[in-house]
Amino acid sequence: MKKLIIEGGNPLNGDIEISGAKNAAVAILPSAIMATKGTCVIDNIPQISDIECIKKIIESLGAKVVSDNNLVTIDSTCINSYDANIEEVQKMRASYYLIGALLGRFKKARVEMPGGCAIGVRPIDQHIKGFEALGAKVTIEHGAVIAEADKLVGTNIYFDVVSVGATINVMLAAVFAEGKTILENCAKEPHIVDVANFLNSMGANIKGAGTDVIRINGVNELKGCNYSVIPDQIEAGTYMMAAAACGGKVNINNVIPKHLESISAKLIEMGVDITENGDSITIESSRKLKGVNVKTLPYPGFPTDLQQPMTTLLSTAKGRSIVNESIWESRFKHVDELKKMGAKVKVESNLAVIEGVECLTGAKIVATDLRAGAAMVIAGLIAKGTTEVTNLEHIDRGYPNIENKLNSLGAKITRIEK
Ligand code: EPZ
Protein backbone atom coordinates (compact mmCIF):
# COMPACT_ATOMS: atom_id res chain seq x y z
CA MET A 1 0.00 0.00 0.00
CA LYS A 2 1.27 3.49 -0.85
CA LYS A 3 2.16 5.43 2.27
CA LEU A 4 4.24 8.19 3.78
CA ILE A 5 6.40 7.24 6.76
CA ILE A 6 7.13 10.30 8.85
CA GLU A 7 9.67 10.51 11.68
CA GLY A 8 8.38 13.40 13.76
CA GLY A 9 10.02 16.00 15.93
CA ASN A 10 12.33 17.81 13.49
CA PRO A 11 12.29 21.60 13.19
CA LEU A 12 11.93 23.07 9.67
CA ASN A 13 14.52 25.52 8.35
CA GLY A 14 15.36 26.89 4.91
CA ASP A 15 13.59 27.92 1.72
CA ILE A 16 10.59 26.41 -0.06
CA GLU A 17 9.11 27.30 -3.48
CA ILE A 18 5.34 27.46 -3.90
CA SER A 19 3.84 25.99 -7.09
CA GLY A 20 1.08 27.41 -9.29
CA ALA A 21 -2.42 27.49 -7.78
CA LYS A 22 -4.32 24.22 -8.22
CA ASN A 23 -7.75 25.79 -8.04
CA ALA A 24 -6.80 28.41 -10.65
CA ALA A 25 -5.11 25.90 -12.96
CA VAL A 26 -8.02 23.43 -12.87
CA ALA A 27 -10.28 26.24 -14.13
CA ILE A 28 -7.81 27.80 -16.59
CA LEU A 29 -7.13 24.58 -18.53
CA PRO A 30 -10.86 23.98 -19.26
CA SER A 31 -11.21 27.70 -20.13
CA ALA A 32 -8.47 27.27 -22.75
CA ILE A 33 -10.80 25.11 -24.85
CA MET A 34 -12.78 28.27 -25.64
CA ALA A 35 -9.99 29.56 -27.92
CA THR A 36 -11.00 28.99 -31.54
CA LYS A 37 -7.77 30.47 -32.95
CA GLY A 38 -4.12 30.00 -31.92
CA THR A 39 -2.67 28.13 -28.96
CA CYS A 40 -2.67 28.86 -25.23
CA VAL A 41 0.77 28.59 -23.62
CA ILE A 42 0.27 28.39 -19.87
CA ASP A 43 3.13 28.45 -17.37
CA ASN A 44 3.34 27.66 -13.64
CA ILE A 45 0.90 24.73 -13.89
CA PRO A 46 1.36 22.52 -10.80
CA GLN A 47 2.35 18.88 -11.39
CA ILE A 48 -0.48 17.13 -9.55
CA SER A 49 -2.94 14.38 -10.44
CA ASP A 50 -5.96 16.72 -10.81
CA ILE A 51 -4.08 18.48 -13.64
CA GLU A 52 -3.32 15.14 -15.31
CA CYS A 53 -7.07 14.36 -15.18
CA ILE A 54 -8.07 17.72 -16.71
CA LYS A 55 -5.49 17.33 -19.49
CA LYS A 56 -6.85 13.86 -20.35
CA ILE A 57 -10.42 15.18 -20.39
CA ILE A 58 -9.70 18.06 -22.76
CA GLU A 59 -7.64 15.73 -24.98
CA SER A 60 -10.64 13.39 -25.12
CA LEU A 61 -12.63 16.32 -26.59
CA GLY A 62 -10.06 16.69 -29.41
CA ALA A 63 -7.66 19.33 -28.01
CA LYS A 64 -3.89 18.91 -28.54
CA VAL A 65 -2.09 19.19 -25.21
CA VAL A 66 1.71 19.27 -24.85
CA SER A 67 3.35 19.42 -21.40
CA ASP A 68 6.91 20.37 -20.48
CA ASN A 69 7.33 20.45 -16.69
CA ASN A 70 5.16 23.38 -15.53
CA LEU A 71 4.43 24.61 -19.06
CA VAL A 72 1.31 23.37 -20.84
CA THR A 73 0.42 24.23 -24.45
CA ILE A 74 -3.16 23.72 -25.60
CA ASP A 75 -4.41 23.87 -29.17
CA SER A 76 -8.21 23.79 -29.03
CA THR A 77 -8.89 24.69 -32.65
CA CYS A 78 -9.55 21.03 -33.45
CA ILE A 79 -12.01 20.25 -30.64
CA ASN A 80 -14.76 18.13 -32.12
CA SER A 81 -16.84 16.98 -29.15
CA TYR A 82 -19.00 18.64 -26.50
CA ASP A 83 -19.38 15.38 -24.56
CA ALA A 84 -17.00 14.95 -21.58
CA ASN A 85 -17.55 11.35 -20.56
CA ILE A 86 -14.23 9.66 -19.69
CA GLU A 87 -13.74 8.31 -16.16
CA GLU A 88 -11.45 11.21 -15.12
CA VAL A 89 -14.48 13.55 -15.20
CA GLN A 90 -15.89 11.84 -12.11
CA LYS A 91 -12.55 11.79 -10.28
CA MET A 92 -12.50 15.53 -9.67
CA ARG A 93 -14.69 18.52 -8.95
CA ALA A 94 -13.32 21.01 -11.45
CA SER A 95 -14.45 18.97 -14.46
CA TYR A 96 -17.71 20.91 -14.04
CA TYR A 97 -15.95 23.95 -15.60
CA LEU A 98 -16.30 22.13 -18.92
CA ILE A 99 -20.04 22.75 -18.76
CA GLY A 100 -19.56 26.55 -18.88
CA ALA A 101 -16.68 26.35 -21.37
CA LEU A 102 -18.42 23.96 -23.81
CA LEU A 103 -21.79 25.69 -23.48
CA GLY A 104 -20.11 29.01 -24.24
CA ARG A 105 -18.21 27.71 -27.26
CA PHE A 106 -20.68 25.21 -28.78
CA LYS A 107 -23.99 26.22 -27.09
CA LYS A 108 -24.07 22.58 -26.09
CA ALA A 109 -22.40 20.56 -23.32
CA ARG A 110 -22.72 17.07 -21.90
CA VAL A 111 -20.53 16.48 -18.86
CA GLU A 112 -20.68 13.53 -16.44
CA MET A 113 -21.48 14.64 -12.87
CA PRO A 114 -18.22 15.75 -11.17
CA GLY A 115 -16.56 14.00 -8.19
CA GLY A 116 -14.02 15.55 -5.79
CA CYS A 117 -13.40 15.49 -2.04
CA ALA A 118 -16.19 14.09 0.17
CA ILE A 119 -16.52 17.16 2.41
CA GLY A 120 -20.29 17.61 2.32
CA VAL A 121 -23.16 17.92 -0.13
CA ARG A 122 -21.77 19.69 -3.17
CA PRO A 123 -24.77 21.06 -5.10
CA ILE A 124 -24.45 22.82 -8.46
CA ASP A 125 -27.83 24.56 -8.39
CA GLN A 126 -26.22 28.03 -8.66
CA HIS A 127 -24.26 26.98 -11.75
CA ILE A 128 -27.49 25.71 -13.35
CA LYS A 129 -29.42 28.81 -12.32
CA GLY A 130 -26.78 30.96 -14.08
CA PHE A 131 -26.74 28.88 -17.29
CA GLU A 132 -30.55 28.96 -17.42
CA ALA A 133 -30.63 32.72 -16.91
CA LEU A 134 -28.34 33.04 -19.95
CA GLY A 135 -30.91 31.07 -21.99
CA ALA A 136 -29.74 27.45 -21.70
CA LYS A 137 -31.96 24.45 -21.01
CA VAL A 138 -30.23 22.29 -18.41
CA THR A 139 -31.17 18.70 -17.57
CA ILE A 140 -29.52 15.91 -15.62
CA GLU A 141 -29.86 12.58 -17.41
CA HIS A 142 -28.13 9.23 -16.83
CA GLY A 143 -25.64 10.85 -14.42
CA ALA A 144 -24.61 13.67 -16.76
CA VAL A 145 -25.36 17.39 -16.92
CA ILE A 146 -26.70 18.39 -20.34
CA ALA A 147 -26.88 22.09 -21.19
CA GLU A 148 -28.11 23.42 -24.55
CA ALA A 149 -29.08 26.79 -25.98
CA ASP A 150 -29.93 28.23 -29.40
CA LYS A 151 -28.06 31.30 -28.23
CA LEU A 152 -26.84 32.74 -24.93
CA VAL A 153 -27.99 36.26 -24.03
CA GLY A 154 -26.43 38.43 -21.31
CA THR A 155 -28.53 39.25 -18.25
CA ASN A 156 -28.32 40.08 -14.52
CA ILE A 157 -27.70 37.07 -12.26
CA TYR A 158 -27.68 37.22 -8.46
CA PHE A 159 -26.11 34.16 -6.81
CA ASP A 160 -28.01 32.96 -3.72
CA VAL A 161 -24.79 31.68 -2.15
CA VAL A 162 -21.21 32.82 -2.61
CA SER A 163 -19.77 30.03 -4.75
CA VAL A 164 -16.32 29.81 -6.33
CA GLY A 165 -17.43 27.19 -8.84
CA ALA A 166 -20.67 28.93 -9.89
CA THR A 167 -18.93 32.31 -10.26
CA ILE A 168 -16.27 30.87 -12.59
CA ASN A 169 -18.59 28.53 -14.51
CA VAL A 170 -21.24 31.14 -15.30
CA MET A 171 -18.50 33.69 -16.14
CA LEU A 172 -17.15 31.19 -18.70
CA ALA A 173 -20.50 30.74 -20.44
CA ALA A 174 -21.21 34.50 -20.32
CA VAL A 175 -17.99 35.33 -22.22
CA PHE A 176 -19.79 34.25 -25.42
CA ALA A 177 -23.29 35.53 -24.47
CA GLU A 178 -24.73 38.37 -26.56
CA GLY A 179 -24.57 41.74 -24.78
CA LYS A 180 -23.83 42.41 -21.13
CA THR A 181 -23.97 39.97 -18.20
CA ILE A 182 -23.79 41.23 -14.63
CA LEU A 183 -23.00 38.63 -11.94
CA GLU A 184 -23.78 39.69 -8.37
CA ASN A 185 -22.82 38.18 -4.99
CA CYS A 186 -19.77 36.62 -6.63
CA ALA A 187 -16.96 34.79 -4.86
CA LYS A 188 -13.76 36.89 -4.68
CA GLU A 189 -11.03 34.23 -4.34
CA PRO A 190 -7.66 35.00 -6.01
CA HIS A 191 -8.24 32.15 -8.49
CA ILE A 192 -11.39 33.87 -9.77
CA VAL A 193 -9.32 36.94 -10.64
CA ASP A 194 -6.72 34.68 -12.27
CA VAL A 195 -9.28 32.93 -14.48
CA ALA A 196 -10.78 36.31 -15.50
CA ASN A 197 -7.28 37.64 -16.33
CA PHE A 198 -6.61 34.54 -18.42
CA LEU A 199 -9.90 34.93 -20.32
CA ASN A 200 -9.18 38.64 -20.89
CA SER A 201 -5.74 37.68 -22.26
CA MET A 202 -7.61 35.51 -24.79
CA GLY A 203 -9.81 38.47 -25.80
CA ALA A 204 -12.71 38.34 -23.33
CA ASN A 205 -14.11 41.52 -21.79
CA ILE A 206 -14.53 40.88 -18.05
CA LYS A 207 -14.40 43.60 -15.39
CA GLY A 208 -14.72 43.46 -11.61
CA ALA A 209 -13.34 39.98 -10.85
CA GLY A 210 -12.18 40.02 -7.23
CA THR A 211 -15.17 42.14 -6.17
CA ASP A 212 -18.68 40.84 -5.64
CA VAL A 213 -19.96 42.24 -8.95
CA ILE A 214 -18.48 40.97 -12.24
CA ARG A 215 -19.46 42.62 -15.55
CA ILE A 216 -18.95 40.71 -18.78
CA ASN A 217 -19.42 42.12 -22.28
CA GLY A 218 -19.92 39.20 -24.66
CA VAL A 219 -17.40 38.65 -27.47
CA ASN A 220 -17.56 36.46 -30.61
CA GLU A 221 -14.23 34.71 -30.38
CA LEU A 222 -11.27 34.01 -28.13
CA LYS A 223 -7.73 33.37 -29.32
CA GLY A 224 -4.65 31.74 -27.83
CA CYS A 225 -2.41 33.62 -25.37
CA ASN A 226 0.63 33.29 -23.10
CA TYR A 227 -0.19 33.20 -19.41
CA SER A 228 1.33 32.29 -16.03
CA VAL A 229 -0.83 30.94 -13.18
CA ILE A 230 -0.69 32.68 -9.77
CA PRO A 231 1.02 30.99 -6.79
CA ASP A 232 -1.07 28.61 -4.72
CA GLN A 233 -2.53 30.37 -1.67
CA ILE A 234 -3.50 27.06 -0.05
CA GLU A 235 -0.19 25.29 -0.63
CA ALA A 236 1.59 28.35 0.83
CA GLY A 237 -0.78 28.41 3.83
CA THR A 238 -0.20 24.69 4.42
CA TYR A 239 3.59 25.18 4.60
CA MET A 240 3.14 28.26 6.81
CA MET A 241 1.26 26.03 9.24
CA ALA A 242 3.81 23.21 8.97
CA ALA A 243 6.61 25.69 9.79
CA ALA A 244 4.62 27.17 12.69
CA ALA A 245 3.86 23.69 14.07
CA CYS A 246 7.40 22.26 13.81
CA GLY A 247 9.35 25.36 14.90
CA GLY A 248 12.33 26.84 13.04
CA LYS A 249 12.65 29.51 10.36
CA VAL A 250 11.27 28.99 6.86
CA ASN A 251 11.23 31.35 3.85
CA ILE A 252 8.19 30.56 1.71
CA ASN A 253 8.99 31.89 -1.78
CA ASN A 254 6.88 32.67 -4.86
CA VAL A 255 3.81 33.82 -2.92
CA ILE A 256 1.48 36.82 -3.04
CA PRO A 257 1.49 37.89 0.65
CA LYS A 258 -1.83 39.77 0.22
CA HIS A 259 -3.53 36.40 -0.49
CA LEU A 260 -2.18 35.06 2.82
CA GLU A 261 -3.34 37.87 5.12
CA SER A 262 -6.11 35.94 6.92
CA ILE A 263 -3.65 33.10 7.59
CA SER A 264 -0.80 35.38 8.70
CA ALA A 265 -3.18 37.22 11.05
CA LYS A 266 -4.18 33.98 12.81
CA LEU A 267 -0.61 32.69 13.06
CA ILE A 268 0.58 36.03 14.51
CA GLU A 269 -2.29 35.82 17.04
CA MET A 270 -0.94 32.38 18.02
CA GLY A 271 2.56 33.77 18.61
CA VAL A 272 4.30 33.08 15.28
CA ASP A 273 6.68 35.73 13.85
CA ILE A 274 5.91 36.57 10.21
CA THR A 275 7.77 38.96 7.92
CA GLU A 276 7.04 39.78 4.30
CA ASN A 277 9.71 40.44 1.67
CA GLY A 278 8.20 41.12 -1.74
CA ASP A 279 7.06 37.74 -3.04
CA SER A 280 8.41 35.83 -0.05
CA ILE A 281 7.16 35.37 3.51
CA THR A 282 9.26 34.21 6.47
CA ILE A 283 7.79 32.14 9.28
CA GLU A 284 9.64 31.88 12.58
CA SER A 285 8.18 29.79 15.34
CA SER A 286 9.35 28.72 18.79
CA ARG A 287 6.53 26.12 18.94
CA LYS A 288 5.20 27.83 22.09
CA LEU A 289 1.89 28.78 20.54
CA LYS A 290 -1.45 29.69 22.06
CA GLY A 291 -4.88 28.54 20.95
CA VAL A 292 -7.15 30.84 18.89
CA ASN A 293 -10.66 30.74 17.47
CA VAL A 294 -11.09 30.37 13.71
CA LYS A 295 -14.13 30.67 11.45
CA THR A 296 -13.87 29.66 7.81
CA LEU A 297 -15.35 32.17 5.36
CA PRO A 298 -15.23 33.00 1.65
CA TYR A 299 -12.19 35.11 0.62
CA PRO A 300 -10.86 37.37 2.14
CA GLY A 301 -11.86 35.35 5.22
CA PHE A 302 -9.96 32.35 6.57
CA PRO A 303 -10.08 29.65 3.82
CA THR A 304 -11.96 26.42 4.46
CA ASP A 305 -9.21 24.63 2.55
CA LEU A 306 -6.81 25.41 5.42
CA GLN A 307 -9.19 24.52 8.23
CA GLN A 308 -7.89 20.95 8.49
CA PRO A 309 -4.16 21.85 8.64
CA MET A 310 -5.12 24.58 11.15
CA THR A 311 -6.92 22.04 13.37
CA THR A 312 -3.70 20.01 13.53
CA LEU A 313 -1.68 23.11 14.39
CA LEU A 314 -4.14 24.03 17.15
CA SER A 315 -4.08 20.50 18.60
CA THR A 316 -0.80 21.24 20.42
CA ALA A 317 -1.34 24.99 21.03
CA LYS A 318 -1.83 26.05 24.64
CA GLY A 319 -5.41 26.33 25.86
CA ARG A 320 -8.76 25.96 24.12
CA SER A 321 -9.45 26.76 20.46
CA ILE A 322 -12.77 26.72 18.64
CA VAL A 323 -12.89 26.08 14.90
CA ASN A 324 -16.13 26.99 13.12
CA GLU A 325 -16.40 25.42 9.64
CA SER A 326 -19.03 27.53 7.89
CA ILE A 327 -18.60 26.35 4.27
CA TRP A 328 -18.67 22.51 4.25
CA GLU A 329 -20.73 20.35 6.61
CA SER A 330 -18.46 17.26 6.67
CA ARG A 331 -14.98 18.66 6.84
CA PHE A 332 -13.96 17.28 10.23
CA LYS A 333 -13.30 13.66 9.22
CA HIS A 334 -9.61 14.20 9.95
CA VAL A 335 -10.37 14.75 13.64
CA ASP A 336 -10.86 10.99 14.27
CA GLU A 337 -7.38 10.45 12.87
CA LEU A 338 -5.89 13.22 15.05
CA LYS A 339 -7.51 11.59 18.08
CA LYS A 340 -5.56 8.38 17.34
CA MET A 341 -2.46 10.51 17.92
CA GLY A 342 -3.66 11.85 21.26
CA ALA A 343 -5.37 15.08 20.18
CA LYS A 344 -8.27 16.25 22.36
CA VAL A 345 -10.94 17.49 19.99
CA LYS A 346 -14.73 17.40 20.31
CA VAL A 347 -16.77 17.95 17.17
CA GLU A 348 -20.36 19.11 17.35
CA SER A 349 -22.03 19.88 14.05
CA ASN A 350 -19.86 22.54 12.38
CA LEU A 351 -17.74 23.30 15.48
CA ALA A 352 -14.56 21.63 16.69
CA VAL A 353 -13.51 22.40 20.26
CA ILE A 354 -9.81 21.69 20.71
CA GLU A 355 -8.03 21.40 24.08
CA GLY A 356 -4.34 21.75 23.28
CA VAL A 357 -2.17 18.79 24.40
CA GLU A 358 1.59 18.79 25.12
CA CYS A 359 2.39 16.58 22.12
CA LEU A 360 0.94 14.12 19.57
CA THR A 361 2.25 10.58 19.25
CA GLY A 362 2.88 8.78 15.95
CA ALA A 363 0.17 6.42 14.66
CA LYS A 364 -1.23 4.79 11.50
CA ILE A 365 -3.57 7.38 10.04
CA VAL A 366 -5.56 7.91 6.87
CA ALA A 367 -5.82 10.94 4.57
CA THR A 368 -9.62 11.14 4.29
CA ASP A 369 -9.50 13.89 1.63
CA LEU A 370 -6.98 16.28 0.04
CA ARG A 371 -6.57 18.91 2.77
CA ALA A 372 -7.12 16.31 5.52
CA GLY A 373 -4.06 14.64 3.98
CA ALA A 374 -2.00 17.79 4.46
CA ALA A 375 -3.29 17.97 8.04
CA MET A 376 -2.12 14.38 8.63
CA VAL A 377 1.35 15.13 7.25
CA ILE A 378 1.69 18.10 9.63
CA ALA A 379 0.48 15.89 12.49
CA GLY A 380 3.18 13.34 11.60
CA LEU A 381 5.84 16.08 11.52
CA ILE A 382 5.07 17.24 15.08
CA ALA A 383 4.33 13.84 16.63
CA LYS A 384 6.73 11.86 18.79
CA GLY A 385 7.85 8.72 16.95
CA THR A 386 6.72 7.32 13.60
CA THR A 387 3.51 8.10 11.71
CA GLU A 388 2.21 6.26 8.65
CA VAL A 389 -0.18 8.15 6.37
CA THR A 390 -2.17 6.15 3.79
CA ASN A 391 -4.65 7.14 1.00
CA LEU A 392 -1.98 9.27 -0.63
CA GLU A 393 -4.01 9.62 -3.84
CA HIS A 394 -5.88 12.43 -2.07
CA ILE A 395 -2.68 14.33 -1.21
CA ASP A 396 -1.27 13.83 -4.71
CA ARG A 397 -4.36 15.51 -6.22
CA GLY A 398 -3.24 18.88 -4.88
CA TYR A 399 0.31 19.00 -3.42
CA PRO A 400 3.26 18.70 -5.86
CA ASN A 401 6.23 16.82 -4.31
CA ILE A 402 5.02 17.30 -0.76
CA GLU A 403 7.61 15.02 0.84
CA ASN A 404 10.54 16.42 -1.21
CA LYS A 405 9.59 20.00 -0.39
CA LEU A 406 9.31 19.25 3.34
CA ASN A 407 12.45 17.06 3.41
CA SER A 408 14.44 19.95 1.91
CA LEU A 409 13.53 21.86 5.10
CA GLY A 410 14.70 19.09 7.44
CA ALA A 411 11.62 16.85 7.68
CA LYS A 412 12.10 13.06 7.58
CA ILE A 413 9.45 11.66 5.24
CA THR A 414 9.80 8.52 3.13
CA ARG A 415 7.30 7.55 0.43
CA ILE A 416 6.60 3.85 0.06
CA GLU A 417 5.21 3.28 -3.44
CA LYS A 418 3.55 -0.14 -2.97
C1 EPZ B 1 -14.06 25.37 -4.53
O1 EPZ B 1 -15.05 24.35 -4.50
C2 EPZ B 1 -12.74 24.67 -4.29
N1 EPZ B 1 -12.53 23.69 -5.33
C3 EPZ B 1 -12.73 24.00 -2.93
O2 EPZ B 1 -11.44 23.50 -2.69
C4 EPZ B 1 -13.06 25.02 -1.83
O3 EPZ B 1 -13.22 24.36 -0.60
C5 EPZ B 1 -14.34 25.79 -2.17
O4 EPZ B 1 -14.27 26.35 -3.50
C6 EPZ B 1 -14.62 26.94 -1.20
O5 EPZ B 1 -13.53 27.82 -1.21
C7 EPZ B 1 -12.09 24.09 -6.53
O6 EPZ B 1 -11.83 25.26 -6.78
C8 EPZ B 1 -11.89 23.03 -7.56
P1 EPZ B 1 -18.21 26.54 -3.69
P2 EPZ B 1 -16.53 24.68 -5.02
O7 EPZ B 1 -19.09 26.41 -4.88
O8 EPZ B 1 -16.43 25.66 -6.12
C9 EPZ B 1 -22.50 25.91 -1.64
C10 EPZ B 1 -9.78 21.94 -2.27
O9 EPZ B 1 -9.47 21.42 -1.19
N2 EPZ B 1 -23.01 25.81 -3.03
O10 EPZ B 1 -17.53 27.84 -3.44
O11 EPZ B 1 -17.18 23.38 -5.29
C11 EPZ B 1 -21.66 24.69 -1.26
O12 EPZ B 1 -22.47 23.64 -0.79
C12 EPZ B 1 -11.22 22.08 -2.66
O13 EPZ B 1 -8.92 22.37 -3.08
C13 EPZ B 1 -24.37 25.76 -3.27
O14 EPZ B 1 -25.18 25.75 -2.34
O15 EPZ B 1 -17.14 25.36 -3.73
C14 EPZ B 1 -20.75 25.28 -0.20
O16 EPZ B 1 -21.40 25.28 1.04
C15 EPZ B 1 -12.12 21.31 -1.77
N3 EPZ B 1 -24.80 25.70 -4.56
C16 EPZ B 1 -20.57 26.74 -0.63
O17 EPZ B 1 -21.63 27.01 -1.55
C17 EPZ B 1 -23.96 25.70 -5.62
O18 EPZ B 1 -24.44 25.66 -6.78
C18 EPZ B 1 -19.25 27.06 -1.31
O19 EPZ B 1 -19.05 26.15 -2.40
C19 EPZ B 1 -22.59 25.78 -5.38
C20 EPZ B 1 -22.13 25.83 -4.07
Side-chain angles (χ1 to χ4, degrees):
M1 194 193 300
K2 277 189 182 182
K3 55 186 155 187
L4 294 178
I5 314 266
I6 307 173
E7 298 298 334
N10 299 296
L12 300 182
N13 285 293
D15 282 62
I16 191 167
E17 301 298 318
I18 296 305
S19 301
K22 162 190 167 274
N23 287 344
V26 294
I28 283 174
L29 295 190
S31 312
I33 70 154
M34 294 165 74
T36 48
K37 272 188 182 167
T39 52
C40 291
V41 182
I42 311 165
D43 203 357
N44 210 25
I45 297 281
Q47 295 180 43
I48 49 176
S49 66
D50 267 11
I51 291 295
E52 292 311 310
C53 282
I54 279 282
K55 289 196 289 197
K56 279 190 190 148
I57 299 167
I58 59 180
E59 276 177 326
S60 77
L61 298 171
K64 289 189 189 122
V65 181
V66 179
S67 303
D68 179 9
N69 293 314
N70 300 329
L71 193 74
V72 175
T73 305
I74 301 173
D75 176 355
S76 310
T77 50
C78 37
I79 286 197
N80 50 21
S81 169
Y82 56 83
D83 184 1
N85 65 11
I86 62 170
E87 64 176 315
E88 279 74 12
V89 178
Q90 288 169 318
K91 285 193 187 162
M92 62 184 305
R93 195 76 198 151
S95 50
Y96 59 25
Y97 291 132
L98 287 158
I99 310 172
L102 290 166
L103 179 65
R105 176 162 171 181
F106 295 110
K107 310 293 170 274
K108 214 168 182 179
R110 185 189 174 283
V111 178
E112 295 287 320
M113 286 294 269
C117 289
I119 50 181
V121 182
R122 299 189 74 175
I124 56 166
D125 57 297
Q126 296 303 305
H127 305 231
I128 294 173
K129 169 179 152 164
F131 298 143
E132 287 178 341
L134 293 171
K137 178 170 176 276
V138 184
T139 53
I140 297 178
E141 289 171 29
H142 306 294
V145 182
I146 301 168
E148 292 175 83
D150 292 333
K151 61 176 182 174
L152 299 173
V153 180
T155 185
N156 280 30
I157 300 165
Y158 189 96
F159 293 113
D160 302 333
V161 294
V162 176
S163 159
V164 170
T167 302
I168 293 178
N169 225 346
V170 179
M171 181 169 80
L172 292 181
V175 162
F176 283 139
E178 285 175 16
K180 184 180 259 190
T181 300
I182 299 179
L183 305 179
E184 292 185 72
N185 200 23
C186 294
K188 296 180 277 204
E189 270 66 3
H191 33 292
I192 290 170
V193 181
D194 209 34
V195 178
N197 286 342
F198 173 69
L199 290 165
N200 284 342
S201 305
M202 289 202 291
N205 183 343
I206 302 170
K207 295 194 175 98
T211 74
D212 48 18
V213 181
I214 299 180
R215 292 183 167 78
I216 303 150
N217 281 308
V219 295
N220 293 324
E221 73 170 16
L222 295 182
K223 54 188 185 331
C225 68
N226 286 358
Y227 197 77
S228 184
V229 175
I230 52 165
D232 197 311
Q233 174 207 26
I234 305 301
E235 192 199 19
T238 302
Y239 291 127
M240 287 167 76
M241 286 171 196
C246 294
K249 183 175 177 183
V250 176
N251 300 316
I252 302 180
N253 303 326
N254 184 35
V255 298
I256 299 176
K258 176 92 191 138
H259 295 166
L260 304 171
E261 275 177 352
S262 63
I263 304 139
S264 299
K266 274 294 147 195
L267 295 185
I268 290 167
E269 200 181 323
M270 291 181 74
V272 180
D273 282 334
I274 299 187
T275 45
E276 288 177 18
N277 277 308
D279 65 353
S280 172
I281 194 162
T282 302
I283 308 293
E284 246 184 302
S285 164
S286 62
R287 288 203 64 178
K288 291 191 184 100
L289 303 178
K290 66 176 170 52
V292 293
N293 297 336
V294 179
K295 181 174 184 178
T296 65
L297 287 168
Y299 189 81
F302 189 92
T304 170
D305 294 345
L306 287 171
Q307 175 266 109
Q308 293 152 307
M310 189 66 179
T311 309
T312 298
L313 176 60
L314 292 171
S315 69
T316 57
K318 199 169 165 41
R320 173 180 293 182
S321 303
I322 298 176
V323 176
N324 181 337
E325 171 55 65
S326 83
I327 312 285
W328 301 114
E329 63 269 30
S330 308
R331 217 172 192 179
F332 282 128
K333 290 184 189 148
H334 61 299
V335 164
D336 285 339
E337 304 304 304
L338 283 179
K339 283 184 182 169
K340 291 180 192 163
M341 305 176 80
K344 285 197 180 143
V345 189
K346 197 169 166 215
V347 174
E348 251 177 54
S349 153
N350 65 333
L351 295 183
V353 181
I354 304 161
E355 302 292 345
V357 293
E358 200 60 37
C359 70
L360 299 182
T361 51
K364 291 186 177 175
I365 50 175
V366 178
T368 52
D369 60 68
L370 165 59
R371 307 302 173 187
M376 292 306 106
V377 171
I378 297 174
L381 292 176
I382 57 175
K384 273 194 185 153
T386 307
T387 295
E388 282 188 29
V389 184
T390 51
N391 276 19
L392 302 190
E393 65 279 8
H394 289 302
I395 300 176
D396 294 339
R397 284 187 43 215
Y399 288 94
N401 292 322
I402 190 166
E403 68 273 21
N404 295 342
K405 287 192 183 189
L406 286 166
N407 285 345
S408 75
L409 297 175
K412 289 205 166 64
I413 308 177
T414 311
R415 180 181 284 252
I416 308 288
E417 280 296 351
K418 54 183 176 182

